[in-house]
Amino acid sequence: MVPEELASGMFIPQQTIGSVLCCMCGVPMQPNAANMCIKCLRSHVDITEGLQKHVTILHCPECGCYLQPPKTWIKAELESNDLLLFCLKRLKKPNTVRVVHAEFIWTEPHSKRIKVRVRIQKEALHGAILEQPYVVEFTQQEHMCDPCTRVQANPDQWVAAVQVRQHVPHRRTFFFLEQLILKHSAAERAINIKEMDQGIDFFFGNRSHAVKFVEFLGSVVPCKSRNDKQLVSHDSKSNNYNYKYTFSVEICPICREDLICLPPKVSNSLGNLGPLVLCMKVSDSIFLLDPVTLRSAYMDANQYWRLPFKPLLTSRQLVEYLVFNVEVEGPKATIGKKDYALAYAEVARVSDIGRTFIVRTHLGHLLEPGHTALGYDLYASNSNDPEVDKYRGLVFPEAILIKRSHEEERKKMRGKTRAWKLKNMKMEVDDSVKRVDEEKKNTEYEEFLRDLEVDPELRFNISFYRNKERQPSEMASTDGDNDEPVELEDLLAELKLKEDEEEDSDDMTG
Amino acid sequence: MAARIQFENSCEVGVFSKLTNAYCLVAIGGSENFYSAFESELADVIPVVKTSIGGTRIIGRLCAGNKNGLLLPHTTTDQELQHLRNSLPDQVVVQRIDERLSALGNCIACNDHVALAHTDLDRETEELIADVLGVEVFRQTIAGNILVGSYCVISNRGGLVHPHTSIEDLDELSTLLQVPLVAGTVNRGSEVIAAGLTVNDWTAFCGSDTTATELSVIESVFKLREAQPSAIVDEMRKSLIDTYV
């Protein structure tokens, strides 16, 4: 056809497709690449010839996974997209065939048959592309996957264990750690958690989970870790080795409110920080403060473990002092988000009011005459630390005050339950070891809760939950308290994002 | 009558033979079956000549001819040319032409009165065709294909074209050629009509894969059912002689 050309463009005359006779059956039809009618084409050419119609797949009844050889197990629900993809992958398809559409045909779930209708396109003779649907039947055979087999064989089987220890006589750090772990869900993958003497053991099913947990610990407390592995079984044919991995994490024994006498080397490395320092805060590094000069230093885990040292006096040895007089000496300084002011204070031990001492303290901004404070009684203590002997001519002050005591407020609050409570981690208690006094443990926990009430910085990383057991009427009567007792609204205001979680956890008993 | 034959197991009989009203050219095959098929039909009426063109056997696609003449490509050797001149009747003008497109059978589709030519054929060639074959030449395409000689076959009674030819094209061609045309296939759905079919006014030969439907279409469009060679000769005689003395 020679089309006529007009100025504006090509003129293409209308083309009506004529009809030819099908070369097989003679019925008139539109011409196509094979010049046969669809029925004749279909009857002559079966494009599904040679394709799989029956396939066997392996299914794990415990976890509902399907095996993709050689080793991957894919979790999929019946009649889901994942299952459809998996079934199509298991079908062996030659290159010439193209899958256009696939869908499930419903079968009884207990029949162990999955039917998929697949529509494929393939080139038939003379270049005509033929599309034909056909049904593939998948027979499901039950076979337990390796992880489920292992769990079935020995439910207590762990692959990796993390043993966290801190060699101090109290468990404050572990209470705090428990709350941190809950907040960050770091122990989600733990198979088992056991409470041991001076520490906690965590058991995991996978080495990488344990490594992740150890790294989390390293980021929240100063610690050092070692790891080791033990051969459990060995398959010599395929050279597979199964190990049990153990990680030993030791948390540094310095805690908050500890009095430390620094060894001379450490003191030198920190710029001749006065050998007597207080530990004010422990996060992933230790914050040391010299109460007499208000000089401070941070020490991270590596630095500590290079030259480890023990505290001189810990918070167990705190003694109550009555403050008679305070003379603020220096201006209020803010070190590490807290305010301190140097002052001279005249104090006397509550147990021995007669003897007063004039001591230098860093709590100048907090103390007023008439307050009670807690501090270390160095006058009456007899320390046995070899580090102290290394210093020549070191004079100890008679007392070092640590914090204000809130005994009066506590006496008022006695009998009233707190407005908030904490969640607890599910821990197995190890009965084989000599049991710590139940009462001592409770006292320690109570002190921990009191610390939380007092210190907003400690509260930072912890989630609080509303305590429904508390009577709302009682809350009105706590108006007399000021200063530090925790207001529920403050807490909840901090936790705006945790709103939903709080409602869910309300029926938990603390 | 249409017959189904094979050339050495190939169904493309139009490639290896050329059939006109005055002569028939056949390729040299390993066995004599192909030749005997033609000879049994045509021996009394027209000469059946065994030949090669340019040393090849694809003579049907290389040459174009009708009862008036035969056109050969420039690849034809002198011996072949001589052989053909000797074997064919004297009225048939055998001419070797110099044309870039040497597969003349693919480029030219003709009957005794009119011819369709490839659009890129030389001007001189077109004139030669008009002279030697004594036809009117039209440059055309068939269903968008420029190889008109491959995709259509025409005789003086009818013609078969590529199955994808549209109805408008069919009408236009039919008007040009002044014969009824039909779009169809040969050799079980093959679109290359001229390769599978060779035809003259009273007989046709097609590949053995041709289905019964296709065969019936061929017989009806080329009007082969009632055609007998004697009838045609009688008709010709009738037009030549007006009175008996």
Side-chain angles (χ1 to χ4, degrees):
Chain A
M1 292 295 300
V2 181
E4 298 172 33
E5 281 188 48
L6 290 184
S8 54
M10 299 273 281
F11 166 71
I12 312 240
Q14 192 203 5
Q15 309 268 17
T16 334
I17 314 266
S19 73
V20 291
L21 297 187
C22 163
C23 64
M24 303 302 297
C25 56
V27 15
M29 56 164 221
Q30 298 230 318
N32 61 29
N35 292 316
M36 286 202 264
C37 63
I38 308 268
K39 291 208 183 95
C40 292
L41 248 188
R42 281 245 176 89
S43 63
H44 267 270
V45 182
D46 180 16
I47 57 174
T48 66
E49 193 181 359
L51 293 176
Q52 280 177 309
K53 306 269 168 52
H54 296 273
V55 185
T56 312
I57 54 178
L58 291 173
H59 172 247
C60 172
E62 300 288 318
C63 52
C65 300
Y66 294 88
L67 175 67
Q68 184 152 29
K71 264 192 220 161
T72 332
W73 288 83
I74 297 184
K75 188 158 172 60
E77 294 290 324
L78 273 183
E79 308 229 343
S80 65
N81 273 350
D82 296 327
L83 191 58
L84 195 59
L85 272 172
F86 168 75
C87 291
L88 286 178
K89 269 200 210 131
R90 294 287 289 129
L91 264 188
K92 253 186 305 231
K93 292 183 292 287
N95 268 350
T96 51
V97 169
R98 210 177 66 159
V99 173
V100 176
H101 181 74
E103 62 185 2
F104 281 112
I105 300 177
W106 185 81
T107 49
E108 288 278 350
H110 61 79
S111 66
K112 309 267 185 248
R113 301 278 187 279
I114 300 174
K115 283 200 181 148
V116 179
R117 181 177 285 126
V118 182
R119 226 189 298 153
I120 53 165
Q121 273 184 357
K122 189 175 167 179
E123 193 182 302
L125 40 90
H126 296 294
I129 298 187
L130 215 58
E131 194 176 290
Q132 187 176 334
Y134 75 108
V135 177
V136 184
E137 187 178 309
F138 292 87
T139 308
Q140 190 179 306
Q141 275 177 5
E142 302 295 328
H143 182 98
M144 280 223 284
C145 61
D146 284 337
C148 290
T149 329
R150 248 178 259 136
V151 169
Q152 281 266 317
N154 185 2
D156 291 329
Q157 189 82 322
W158 52 267
V159 175
V162 179
Q163 296 174 315
V164 188
R165 300 283 181 269
Q166 189 186 31
H167 300 297
V168 283
H170 60 83
R171 285 191 79 91
R172 272 191 311 165
T173 319
F174 288 107
F175 294 139
F176 185 59
L177 199 58
E178 182 187 338
Q179 296 304 318
L180 271 185
I181 291 174
L182 281 174
K183 167 119 184 181
H184 289 97
S185 313
E188 284 293 296
R189 312 285 207 108
I191 301 176
N192 199 6
I193 304 174
K194 251 193 192 173
E195 197 182 305
M196 308 289 275
D197 173 40
Q198 292 206 327
I200 309 179
D201 283 355
F202 296 84
F203 298 98
F204 297 90
N206 201 328
R207 183 177 182 268
S208 50
H209 301 158
V211 168
K212 188 167 179 205
F213 185 71
V214 167
E215 275 172 19
F216 167 74
L217 283 180
S219 70
V220 293
V221 285
C223 57
K224 73 171 176 190
S225 78
R226 290 183 39 170
N227 60 355
D228 213 342
K229 61 184 185 211
Q230 181 190 11
L231 185 65
V232 171
S233 69
H234 166 216
D235 180 3
S236 54
K237 296 260 169 65
S238 56
N239 275 344
N240 279 341
Y241 298 84
N242 288 337
Y243 290 101
K244 272 197 192 206
Y245 302 91
T246 33
F247 296 82
S248 168
V249 177
E250 191 181 327
I251 305 182
C252 99
I254 308 288
C255 301
R256 283 176 69 247
E257 300 164 3
D258 280 356
L259 180 67
I260 305 161
C261 181
L262 292 174
K265 280 211 181 110
V266 179
S267 175
N268 282 342
S269 73
L270 290 176
N272 260 338
L273 197 57
L276 273 187
V277 288
L278 288 178
C279 172
M280 301 309 293
K281 182 168 144 70
V282 174
S283 62
D284 60 335
S285 54
I286 310 168
F287 178 47
L288 301 167
L289 176 75
D290 184 349
V292 172
T293 59
L294 282 192
R295 279 178 61 197
S296 62
Y298 277 98
M299 202 180 202
D300 74 348
N302 291 336
Q303 261 181 306
Y304 173 79
W305 289 110
R306 232 175 281 150
L307 286 167
F309 48 84
K310 286 239 169 74
L312 195 61
L313 291 173
T314 65
S315 50
R316 282 255 178 93
Q317 282 101 18
L318 281 173
V319 165
E320 257 190 75
Y321 283 87
L322 196 53
V323 177
F324 289 122
N325 208 358
V326 177
E327 265 174 43
V328 175
E329 250 203 348
K332 192 150 83 159
T334 311
I335 307 171
K337 290 187 205 158
K338 278 206 168 154
D339 302 329
Y340 303 107
L342 274 180
Y344 275 108
E346 195 179 338
V347 297
R349 285 166 297 182
V350 162
S351 53
D352 182 17
I353 302 271
R355 182 78 66 107
T356 65
F357 308 100
I358 298 188
V359 290
R360 215 144 173 229
T361 170
H362 60 285
L363 299 172
H365 62 300
L366 284 178
L367 293 176
E368 277 163 36
H371 279 171
T372 43
L374 290 170
Y376 291 114
D377 184 9
L378 291 170
Y379 175 76
S381 74
N382 192 358
S383 50
N384 220 351
D385 205 338
E387 306 294 341
V388 177
D389 301 333
K390 287 191 193 153
Y391 287 99
R392 266 186 263 135
L394 176 62
V395 176
F396 276 9
E398 281 117 1
I400 296 189
L401 301 177
I402 300 295
K403 58 183 179 183
R404 245 192 80 184
S405 158
H406 295 283
E407 271 310 311
E408 308 94 47
E409 286 102 4
R410 291 226 186 85
K411 283 185 182 120
K412 282 187 213 158
M413 290 254 315
R414 197 156 292 166
K416 293 183 188 143
T417 52
R418 291 196 176 78
W420 49 269
K421 63 175 163 65
L422 298 173
K423 254 195 191 168
N424 281 336
M425 223 158 48
K426 260 193 324 211
M427 280 197 267
E428 223 182 85
V429 181
D430 192 19
D431 286 326
S432 58
V433 182
K434 187 178 67 176
R435 283 285 288 111
V436 178
D437 220 2
E438 184 79 33
E439 208 184 296
K440 187 161 141 209
K441 192 160 169 260
N442 284 345
T443 337
E444 274 184 358
Y445 194 65
E446 182 62 34
E447 274 182 28
F448 171 63
L449 290 179
R450 279 188 208 154
D451 276 342
L452 280 184
E453 271 183 344
V454 167
D455 196 351
E457 221 182 307
L458 261 190
R459 291 204 286 273
F460 177 65
N461 250 334
I462 298 187
S463 317
F464 292 89
Y465 302 96
R466 194 188 287 267
N467 186 359
K468 274 229 168 115
E469 289 163 20
R470 183 171 173 151
Q471 303 304 318
S473 58
E474 289 183 43
M475 282 170 66
S477 58
T478 59
D479 296 357
D481 301 334
N482 40 13
D483 257 354
E484 251 90 334
V486 158
E487 294 294 336
L488 189 56
E489 281 63 38
D490 284 338
L491 282 183
L492 295 187
E494 292 168 6
L495 310 169
K496 275 193 221 53
L497 297 169
K498 286 222 164 252
E499 208 60 0
D500 315 356
E501 207 181 318
E502 279 191 42
E503 310 308 331
D504 293 346
S505 67
D506 276 343
D507 29 328
M508 239 201 72
T509 52
Chain B
M1 288 322 295
R4 290 193 188 109
I5 54 177
Q6 265 190 329
F7 177 79
E8 286 182 3
N9 216 25
S10 162
C11 302
E12 314 288 349
V13 296
V15 174
F16 300 103
S17 62
K18 187 113 210 131
L19 181 60
T20 69
N21 286 332
Y23 56 87
C24 175
L25 299 178
V26 174
I28 302 168
S31 75
E32 289 292 311
N33 290 339
F34 194 57
Y35 178 71
S36 12
F38 279 93
E39 211 176 333
S40 59
E41 280 284 323
L42 305 167
D44 306 332
V45 193
I46 54 175
V48 182
V49 181
K50 270 206 273 193
T51 181
S52 66
I53 294 184
T56 68
R57 300 192 294 182
I58 49 170
I59 59 173
R61 301 294 92 220
L62 289 180
C63 66
N66 61 10
K67 74 173 188 335
N68 300 322
L70 177 66
L71 289 171
L72 296 169
H74 61 87
T75 54
T76 320
T77 62
D78 294 334
Q79 288 97 318
E80 289 159 355
L81 187 57
Q82 198 57 44
H83 169 68
L84 279 168
R85 282 225 175 93
N86 293 342
S87 322
L88 294 181
D90 293 330
Q91 318 90 289
V92 180
V93 179
V94 178
Q95 175 83 359
R96 181 168 58 184
I97 61 179
D98 214 353
E99 160 64 56
R100 181 178 65 95
L101 306 169
S102 57
L104 299 175
N106 284 337
C107 299
I108 305 166
C110 63
N111 63 9
D112 293 335
H113 311 291
V114 75
L116 294 175
H118 190 291
T119 48
D120 295 341
L121 230 47
D122 290 344
R123 192 128 282 280
E124 297 98 58
T125 312
E126 197 183 324
E127 287 168 6
L128 264 171
I129 298 172
D131 279 338
V132 170
L133 300 183
V135 291
E136 207 178 332
V137 182
F138 299 104
R139 287 173 193 255
Q140 270 291 354
T141 62
I142 305 233
N145 290 311
I146 46 177
L147 290 177
V148 290
S150 309
Y151 290 104
C152 90
V153 170
I154 46 181
S155 80
N156 294 326
R157 318 287 284 273
L160 188 64
V161 292
H162 189 289
H164 290 188
T165 316
S166 66
I167 295 188
E168 290 84 10
D169 280 5
L170 222 49
D171 288 340
E172 186 179 329
L173 282 171
S174 192
T175 330
L176 275 179
L177 302 174
Q178 293 294 312
V179 291
L181 291 178
V182 132
T185 65
V186 81
N187 274 344
R188 199 186 271 217
S190 167
E191 295 157 344
V192 192
I193 314 290
L197 171 67
T198 178
V199 72
N200 70 3
D201 285 347
W202 65 87
T203 184
F205 295 93
C206 42
S208 53
D209 273 351
T210 312
T211 62
T213 318
E214 291 167 337
L215 212 56
S216 72
V217 168
I218 291 167
E219 285 187 356
S220 72
V221 78
F222 290 111
K223 300 191 184 46
L224 299 172
R225 287 212 184 86
E226 62 286 348
Q228 294 295 318
S230 49
I232 295 192
V233 175
D234 280 341
E235 260 183 61
M236 285 205 293
R237 220 177 266 145
K238 272 192 201 140
S239 58
L240 291 171
I241 302 172
D242 35 10
T243 52
Y244 283 104
V245 176

